[in-house]
Amino acid sequence: MSEQRDSTPGRRSLGEMIYDQLQRAIKSGSYQADERLPTEHELAAEFQVSRPIVRDALQKLREQGLIYSRRGAGSFVRSVGLRQPLGFGQIENIADLEDCYDFRLSVEPEAAARAAERHNEEDIKRIKSALKILRDATNRRRHHEDADFQFHLAISHASGNHYYATAMEALEDHIAVGMQFHGLSLKATPGGLQHVFEEHKAIVEAIEQRHPSVARDLMREHLTGSRDRLFEGKRRSSMSSPPSEAK
């Protein structure tokens, strides 16, 4: 693999490609929880790139909550990957999307409550990093679906219970569909983007201040509001293809 960076628009950098390969390996269960990854030197030799490029990929994995570092010991896998798919099929209609929201309502409020009880400094940094991207997108009147998902995923990791995070990761594609449609509805609603950002901000404050009951209620209200805004006037019937991008 050549280390030369390609500046052609649309091309992925070497760091991004290495990140993708390591992410897939972790999520597929190739590594166990708390298993040490190969060293930067070993990964650089494997991918035939320089150590700074590997370091960038590892930093992104760290920011996504997939790995953590121990001083002098290296990088370790944070949570168990999915050795087998959990059996979630593709979303095909409104009923599937509603069921996904119902499931999230039974899981994420409790994850937020646990995050308020158990979070550490790194957890808060990760949540606030996603919140900052959401704030910047809101200021530009955009909805950033990736940052929105990472916000919710970071909270599930902060719960200290890997089952919450595993469920969220398995549902990423399903949640993305809802977030894309929801982003379009927010842009069409005066003040919608700012309102939802304030909901996210309030959840972070409750978690950081260690108020589990408040965090639980705010997450439930946030998801319920998102669901209701999305499905207002819609029936549980066939759904058109999800938008490729909600700008």
Side-chain angles (χ1 to χ4, degrees), residues 1-117:
M1 180 186 298
S2 172
E3 190 176 330
Q4 182 178 2
R5 293 182 180 271
D6 194 328
S7 60
T8 305
R11 291 288 182 87
R12 298 175 64 78
S13 70
L14 291 174
E16 289 173 330
M17 289 188 288
I18 294 170
Y19 162 79
D20 285 342
Q21 291 187 50
L22 290 174
Q23 180 195 52
R24 284 195 295 270
I26 292 170
K27 289 187 174 182
S28 69
S30 296
Y31 294 98
Q32 295 293 322
D34 298 318
E35 181 177 350
R36 186 174 68 85
L37 290 176
T39 66
E40 288 183 5
H41 179 77
E42 291 168 339
L43 289 171
E46 177 182 348
F47 291 110
Q48 300 180 32
V49 298
S50 67
R51 290 177 66 181
I53 291 177
V54 171
R55 195 172 298 125
D56 288 345
L58 292 175
Q59 178 60 28
K60 187 173 181 182
L61 290 170
R62 198 172 295 113
E63 291 171 354
Q64 300 301 318
L66 294 174
I67 65 173
Y68 63 94
S69 297
R70 293 176 182 167
R71 181 171 296 181
S75 298
F76 296 79
V77 174
R78 184 182 180 94
S79 60
V80 178
L82 302 178
R83 289 193 175 278
Q84 296 294 333
L86 292 183
F88 298 120
Q90 292 185 344
I91 285 182
E92 297 181 351
N93 50 47
I94 288 291
D96 288 344
L97 198 51
E98 284 186 285
D99 288 342
C100 182
Y101 267 96
D102 285 344
F103 179 77
R104 292 179 66 191
L105 275 163
S106 69
V107 172
E108 292 193 59
E110 290 305 316
R114 296 294 181 272
E117 295 172 338

Side-chain angles (χ1 to χ4, degrees), residues 90-154:
Q90 292 185 344
I91 285 182
E92 297 181 351
N93 50 47
I94 288 291
D96 288 344
L97 198 51
E98 284 186 285
D99 288 342
C100 182
Y101 267 96
D102 285 344
F103 179 77
R104 292 179 66 191
L105 275 163
S106 69
V107 172
E108 292 193 59
E110 290 305 316
R114 296 294 181 272
E117 295 172 338
R118 303 172 179 173
H119 72 264
N120 58 37
E121 185 177 346
E122 288 302 314
D123 292 325
I124 291 298
K125 286 181 180 179
R126 192 175 299 112
I127 296 170
K128 285 186 172 181
S129 176
L131 183 69
K132 181 181 183 299
I133 298 174
L134 289 171
R135 182 196 66 197
D136 294 343
T138 299
N139 290 339
R140 298 194 305 271
R141 288 196 50 77
R142 292 172 178 263
H143 180 247
H144 200 302
E145 292 86 11
D146 289 343
D148 199 341
F149 176 76
Q150 292 304 325
F151 175 86
H152 288 266
L153 179 62

Side-chain angles (χ1 to χ4, degrees), residues 145 176-184 240-247:
E145 292 86 11
V177 174
M179 286 181 171
Q180 287 173 351
F181 278 108
H182 185 229
L184 292 176
S240 60
S241 299
S244 58
E245 182 178 6
K247 295 183 178 179

